[in-house]
Amino acid sequence: MNSYSNSQKFWLVSLRLLVGWHFLYEGLVKVLNPKWTSLGYLMDSQGWFASLFHSMAGNAGVLDTINFLNAWGLVLVGLSLIVGCMVRTGCAGGILLLLLYYLSHPPFIGSENLYMLPREGAYLWIDRNVTEIAALAVLYVFPTSHVFGLDGYISRFLKNKLSKPH
């Protein structure tokens, strides 16, 4: 990251913080609402894997597990990106969550008429999930947490600790 200008570093770190905030907020809304469930979202699935998502929603134990993993996964991805700790793991987890959302509700031609839940707009193949997947992929390959984040602090601390004679 040393070969990048300060403005490039600033915007990469800003992207990480903004995406992190989005994940964290989405997760906290779910965690703090005891009535939140993914049931409606899963039952509204119209994608190739709709029957899989519907069957997951139809099993109470599986649904409880999905609710827990989804809400806390969003929180952990958001925290990872915001504090800059284990960012690659956070990016991979975020990409997995977004890929599942995309597969559940793919934005194909005419899909805006298929779903019961409101959508933010009319999309053709590329929606906010795909856009955010691309953003997370950029963050995965550019280790901004070493510029500004706990990963960089921990790395420098360990490097100094290991380089000192005992």
Side-chain angles (χ1 to χ4, degrees), residues 28-152:
L28 288 176
V29 165
K30 292 164 180 55
V31 167
L32 297 174
N33 180 356
K35 294 183 180 186
W36 177 83
T37 179
S38 61
L39 176 66
Y41 188 81
L42 293 170
M43 291 304 295
D44 194 37
S45 175
Q46 299 294 327
W48 296 304
F49 303 102
S51 60
L52 172 65
F53 291 113
H54 295 164
S55 68
M56 290 190 293
N59 181 316
V62 170
L63 182 63
D64 287 343
T65 301
I66 289 169
N67 290 339
F68 178 84
L69 292 174
N70 186 48
W72 284 103
L74 289 166
V75 168
L76 291 174
V77 168
L79 286 174
S80 166
L81 296 172
I82 289 172
V83 301
C85 185
M86 297 176 49
V87 169
R88 285 193 166 170
T89 302
C91 287
I95 289 170
L96 176 64
L97 284 169
L98 292 168
L99 184 61
L100 289 168
Y101 302 157
Y102 184 84
L103 291 173
S104 175
H105 288 74
F108 297 143
I109 295 173
S111 65
E112 63 274 1
N113 300 321
L114 296 175
Y115 301 117
M116 298 296 294
L117 298 174
R119 303 205 29 136
E120 293 177 346
Y123 301 103
L124 179 58
W125 303 309
I126 307 299
D127 63 3
R128 70 177 177 168
N129 293 319
V130 173
T131 303
E132 213 160 21
I133 286 170
L136 286 170
V138 167
L139 295 171
Y140 185 89
V141 299
F142 290 96
T144 61
S145 60
H146 290 275
V147 173
F148 179 75
L150 286 180
D151 285 342

